Amino acid sequence: MAKTIVVKQIGSPIRRPEVQRKTLIGLGLNKMHKTRELEDTPAIRGMVAKIPHLVEIVEERG
């Protein structure tokens, strides 16, 4: 089974640059306090690292 991480949106995309808003959408997040379980890949980790003030890793599974 592949490793996964649970990512939670903790910040609002309002008044943020377009690139940061599109990164949130790419992660499947668009509303405050929404969580997604995503595959733990370097691409996903890079997206989370680009916007650490908007998301947090809640849990690592696998």
Side-chain angles (χ1 to χ4, degrees):
M1 183 170 165
K3 289 185 177 181
T4 61
I5 57 174
V6 177
V7 180
K8 180 179 180 180
Q9 182 177 344
I10 58 170
S12 173
I14 295 172
R15 296 181 60 187
R16 299 288 179 190
E18 184 69 23
V19 172
Q20 293 179 4
R21 281 185 261 148
K22 292 205 182 246
T23 303
L24 273 176
I25 292 169
L27 288 170
L29 301 170
N30 61 353
K31 295 185 181 186
M32 292 290 294
H33 310 293
K34 186 174 179 182
T35 60
R36 286 287 313 262
E37 184 172 351
L38 303 166
E39 190 174 345
D40 190 6
T41 63
I44 298 296
R45 288 285 183 162
M47 292 170 81
V48 170
K50 284 275 193 180
I51 52 171
H53 53 287
L54 297 178
V55 297
E56 70 178 0
I57 296 176
V58 177
E59 183 180 353
E60 297 183 21
R61 297 180 184 167

